[in-house]
Structures are given as structure tokens and as C-alpha cells.
């Protein structure tokens, strides 16, 4: 059986280092907002080349509290429009609506599944105040063009980097392009904790301070509350474990990129639409860290069943777009045909840092055997 992603094997590779880190925390007697969080924040900010990193309880909170901080700082207000790709994972949209901002769902680029600068431009109105640029599936959105548009229209840009740890263009990583960025360290993400965890990164010191306060009951100083905040802190245990995981992130990414190249060269079945050109190389793929390797197949159910019969697990990211979710029934009348087709056809092949090239060859062979 080829699993979609084997978290147990992934974490067992670093079993002793993780145990040592956990032991350090247990023996420290200090479990919330201590040295491990501080050290992780510095290490991750340095990895992303940003001045600040604020640990959070999870990725959704990192996005929610960054937008909330902009409201507290007077840069956003209730009802402002925020552009977001229509095909994103629902968390990107939840962060907007949680703040009573108005999500403007924009169709993605058909090939990259990320925001398309022309479509973003068309969606800008006098009420538009921000863009949530999602690096979906691990590929950096076209940040240069997005930042140019943002400059031109005086918009804030929040990157949703939950799937794109380490992805870069021109040596500049996800998390350092926008005015701020949210990361998730959910166990299945490219850099996963052993539980929920997240962070935001930014070069804006005032924003970082405000987000930190919002995640700590709205308090900069013990027992003095400037905001009606939440409790959303990264804990010492997850921070210590993440410091171990960060050391292996680049090596893990390289394995993912090599698998992606092998898939792109090996899968030649015209019924399976690839996300990257067969001529792609690891060096040409620095902008993509392949959190997911997503292909499109019209007869998706049959394809998944055939792979399953060959012992290969696949998943769908995502089966229902945000505007068709019950939670957003108010948006049901929106017509987003490209997003809807994408959700009907996408299917994710197994990919991960412990997958062997023999397994990759089996997946390729099964994809090539498929006929409708
Ligand atoms: C996982 C994810 C989130 C949310 O992160 P959590 O840590 O699970 O809260 C947000 N956006 C995207 C694109 C994600 O994939």
C-alpha cells in the first residue's frame, strides 16, 4: 500500500531529536511563552528573511489575527473588500469573514491554480483594501505582480503561506513578499508540528506587536488589556519540536521537488493533466515546494478507484469550493465556473519526504495504465 502521506514514518526519522527537544521542555518547568518559542520565532524569521515572526496556536489564527490587527491599527474596517482566490482552502476565507470583512472570490489562473494579476485587477473596486494571496498547493503566487498592483491601489497584502514553507522566487521566500504572512504547522503541512501550531511573519514591527498582543488576551503587559484579544499562542512543546523540523525542511522540500519532476516526466497519459511541464527541473521549481502534487482527470472517480485497486491512496484538495459550502450559503448564487470545474477534476497523488522512488514509479505506472 502506498499511503498518501505517512506522518508516523516522517516523524520517526527524527525520533531521538524530537524526544530530546520534548525532554528539554518537560525539564524546563516553563511551558508557555518561554525560550523555545523565542528561539523558534528567531530561527523561522531568519529562514524567511523577515524581521519578525510571532508564534500562534494555528495557521487560521495567524491569518485571522493579522487582519484583526490591521483593523485595530485603523488600516482596515468592517465591510472592506478583501480579494481572495475562489478555489482556496476555506481557512483563507474564514479569516476574512471572521473579521466582518467582505471576501471577493476571484477565479484563479487555470494552470497555476493561484491568483492571476489580470483577474485581480478586474476585481478591484474603491472598497478593496486588501488581498489574501494564497500559495496554493505549495506554489508561490505571482507576488511581484501582486505587490505592484497593491502599491498602485494602496492595498494590504497578506500571504497565506500555510502550504508553501520555503517556496521562493529570486531568492525571496514565501512569507517575505507581502506586508504579512500566515503559516500553518499542522502535522500534515510541509513543516508539521506534532499537534496544531502556526505563525505570522512580517517586517512591520507595530503589526507584529499588535498580533502578539491579540493572541495573548489583547495584552502587551501582564494584566493590562489594550484589545479584546484571544488566547492563541504557540506553546513551548510545539516550538521545541518545530526547531527540530525546521532543520530538515529544505532537505524534505528537495525530495518533494524530485518526486514532482519524476511525475512530470513519467506520467504521459493524456487523460491526466499535469500541474507542471514535463521539462521542469528541480532548479526551475524553486517557486514550488509541492505540498501537494495535484493533477486533473475528467473521470476522477474512476481514476481514484483504479489507483486504489493498485494500492495507491489519493485525496481531493478540495471537493467543495468555499462558495458552495453550507457555511457560505449566502454566496451560493455566485458563478465561478473555472473554480467549480477545478473542484470537480482535481486529485492529489501521494508525495512526501519519505516516499521512495520505487513507490513513485508505481504511481507513474498506475497513472499511465488508466483509461476512461
Ligand atoms: C492548513 C491551511 C490553513 C489553516 O491552517 P491551520 O493550522 O490548519 O489552522 C490556512 N490556509 C491554507 C491554504 C491551509 O492549507
Amino acid at each position: 500500500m502506498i499511503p498518501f502521506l505517512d506522518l508516523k514514518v516522517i516523524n520517526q526519522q527524527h525520533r531521538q531529536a524530537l524526544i530530546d527537544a520534548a525532554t528539554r521542555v518537560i525539564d524546563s518547568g516553563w511551558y508557555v511563552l518561554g525560550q523555545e518559542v523565542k528561539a523558534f520565532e528567531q530561527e523561522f524569521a531568519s529562514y524567511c528573511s523577515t524581521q519578525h515572526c510571532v508564534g500562534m496556536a494555528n495557521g487560521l489564527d495567524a491569518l485571522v489575527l493579522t487582519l484583526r490587527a490591521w483593523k485595530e491599527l485603523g488600516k482596515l474596517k468592517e465591510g472592506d473588500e478583501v480579494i481572495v482566490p475562489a478555489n482556496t482552502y476555506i481557512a483563507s476565507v474564514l479569516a476574512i469573514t471572521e473579521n466582518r470583512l467582505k471576501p471577493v472570490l476571484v477565479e484563479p489562473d487555470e494552470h497555476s491554480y493561484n491568483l492571476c494579476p489580470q483577474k485581480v485587477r478586474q476585481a478591484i473596486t474603491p472598497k478593496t483594501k486588501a488581498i489574501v494571496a494564497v500559495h496554493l498547493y505549495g506554489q508561490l503566487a505571482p507576488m511581484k505582480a501582486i505587490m505592484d498592483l497593491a502599491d498602485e491601489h494602496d492595498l494590504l497584502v497578506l500571504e497565506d503561506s500555510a502550504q508553501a514553507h520555503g517556496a521562493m522566487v529570486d531568492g525571496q521566500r514565501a512569507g517575505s513578499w507581502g506586508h504579512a504572512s500566515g503559516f500553518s504547522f499542522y502535522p500534515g503541512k510541509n513543516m508539521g508540528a506534532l499537534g496544531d501550531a502556526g505563525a505570522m511573519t512580517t517586517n512591520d514591527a507595530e503589526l507584529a506587536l499588535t498580533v502578539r498582543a491579540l493572541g495573548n488576551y489583547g495584552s502587551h503587559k501582564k494584566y493590562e488589556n489594550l484589545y479584546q484579544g484571544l488566547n492563541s499562542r504557540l506553546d513551548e512543546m510545539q516550538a521545541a519540536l518545530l526547531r527540530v523540523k525546521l532543520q530538515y525542511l529544505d532537505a524534505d522540500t528537495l525530495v518533494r521537488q524530485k518526486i514532482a519532476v519524476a511525475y512530470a516526466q513519467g506520467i504521459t497519459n493524456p487523460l491526466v493533466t499535469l500541474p507542471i511541464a514535463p521539462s521542469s527541473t528541480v532548479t526551475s521549481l524553486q517557486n514550488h515546494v509541492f505540498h501537494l502534487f495535484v493533477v486533473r482527470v475528467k473521470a476522477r472517480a474512476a481514476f481514484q478507484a483504479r489507483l486504489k485497486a493498485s494500492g495507491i491512496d489519493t485525496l481531493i484538495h478540495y471537493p467543495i469550493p468555499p462558495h458552495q459550502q453550507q457555511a457560505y450559503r449566502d454566496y451560493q448564487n455566485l458563478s465561478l465556473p473555472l473554480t467549480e470545474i477545478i473542484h470537480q477534476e482535481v486529485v492529489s497523488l501521494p508525495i512526501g519526504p519519505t516516499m521512495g522512488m520505487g513507490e513513485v514509479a508505481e504511481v507513474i505506472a498506475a497513472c499511465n495504465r488508466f483509461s476512461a
Side-chain angles (χ1 to χ4, degrees):
M1 191 71 211
I2 302 179
F4 186 74
L5 181 70
D6 197 334
L7 286 180
K8 184 168 159 178
V9 173
I10 289 172
N11 286 317
Q12 271 176 345
Q13 298 178 100
H14 316 302
R15 191 168 184 277
Q16 196 53 51
L18 292 170
I19 289 172
D20 292 346
T23 306
R24 206 165 64 227
V25 174
I26 294 166
D27 292 347
S28 74
W30 193 277
Y31 307 113
V32 171
L33 298 186
Q35 291 309 311
E36 298 291 342
V37 167
K38 202 170 184 172
F40 172 72
E41 287 176 345
Q42 278 167 5
E43 288 159 13
F44 196 64
S46 152
Y47 179 81
C48 297
S49 301
T50 59
Q51 281 163 31
H52 309 279
C53 168
V54 181
M56 316 277 337
N58 55 66
L60 175 58
D61 282 359
L63 300 171
V64 169
L65 293 183
T66 301
L67 292 172
R68 169 83 188 274
W70 278 330
K71 284 175 75 187
E72 298 290 353
L73 293 169
K75 296 187 174 176
L76 292 178
K77 60 174 191 316
E78 244 181 78
D80 284 349
E81 290 180 4
V82 180
I83 288 172
V84 62
N87 60 319
T88 186
Y89 178 56
I90 196 152
S92 326
V93 186
L94 290 172
I96 298 168
T97 54
E98 175 65 24
N99 279 292
R100 298 176 183 279
L101 300 162
K102 184 170 180 267
V104 175
L105 302 169
V106 174
E107 294 261 51
D109 173 77
E110 158 136 46
H111 304 290
S112 71
Y113 306 115
N114 274 329
L115 281 177
C116 154
Q118 286 87 329
K119 294 179 193 175
V120 171
R121 184 184 286 282
Q122 284 161 12
I124 294 174
T125 76
K127 285 186 168 174
T128 308
K129 291 292 178 290
I131 300 172
V132 173
V134 184
H135 308 311
L136 200 67
Y137 305 149
Q139 182 170 25
L140 215 76
M143 290 310 294
K144 261 199 201 117
I146 289 172
M147 294 314 293
D148 286 348
L149 261 179
D151 281 348
E152 192 183 319
H153 295 271
D154 203 15
L155 309 176
L156 294 163
V157 176
L158 173 58
E159 298 174 68
D160 180 342
S161 305
Q163 304 187 353
H165 319 69
M168 61 184 169
V169 163
D170 296 342
Q172 199 180 332
R173 292 191 196 277
S176 67
W177 284 92
H179 301 104
S181 171
F183 284 91
S184 166
F185 309 119
Y186 175 80
K189 299 288 157 92
N190 284 26
M191 184 169 83
L194 278 75
D196 275 313
M200 68 81 73
T201 55
T202 183
N203 288 322
D204 179 341
E206 188 186 33
L207 180 69
L209 269 178
T210 308
V211 170
R212 193 180 289 289
L214 284 169
N216 192 31
Y217 313 107
S219 168
H220 289 290
K221 194 174 165 204
K222 206 160 186 176
Y223 305 128
E224 289 183 21
N225 298 75
L226 192 53
Y227 313 109
Q228 296 172 20
L230 311 180
N231 178 350
S232 177
R233 301 175 297 216
L234 175 63
D235 63 69
E236 287 286 286
M237 185 64 82
Q238 296 306 334
L241 301 173
L242 283 167
R243 292 180 68 194
V244 174
K245 300 297 286 285
L246 180 56
Q247 295 170 39
Y248 300 98
L249 176 58
D250 285 344
D252 286 355
T253 297
L254 189 60
V255 176
R256 287 175 182 274
Q257 288 163 336
K258 283 183 177 161
I259 294 170
V261 167
Y263 277 158
Q265 285 175 357
I267 300 172
T268 50
N269 188 338
L271 300 175
V272 181
T273 305
L274 293 165
I276 50 170
S279 58
S280 301
T281 62
V282 166
T283 3
S284 75
L285 291 174
Q286 293 306 298
N287 68 328
H288 202 327
V289 295
F290 295 94
H291 173 56
L292 298 169
F293 191 92
V294 177
V295 298
R296 273 165 72 177
V297 183
K298 286 206 162 59
R300 178 173 67 185
F303 178 75
Q304 282 195 288
R306 219 68 63 77
L307 263 63
K308 186 94 197 166
S310 307
I312 298 162
D313 268 344
T314 56
L315 290 176
I316 296 172
H317 299 90
Y318 297 91
I320 307 173
H323 74 284
Q324 294 185 331
Q325 296 284 355
Q326 271 300 309
Y328 289 120
R329 45 195 175 275
D330 297 355
Y331 301 82
Q332 257 164 11
N333 293 332
L334 287 179
S335 169
L336 297 160
L338 177 56
T339 295
E340 288 158 26
I341 289 170
I342 288 171
H343 283 73
Q344 283 157 25
E345 297 184 354
V346 288
V347 46
S348 308
L349 302 180
I351 192 163
T354 59
M355 197 178 173
M357 282 302 169
E359 293 176 313
V360 173
E362 274 185 60
V363 175
I364 292 170
C367 289
N368 288 339
R369 276 199 304 273
F370 174 68
S371 57

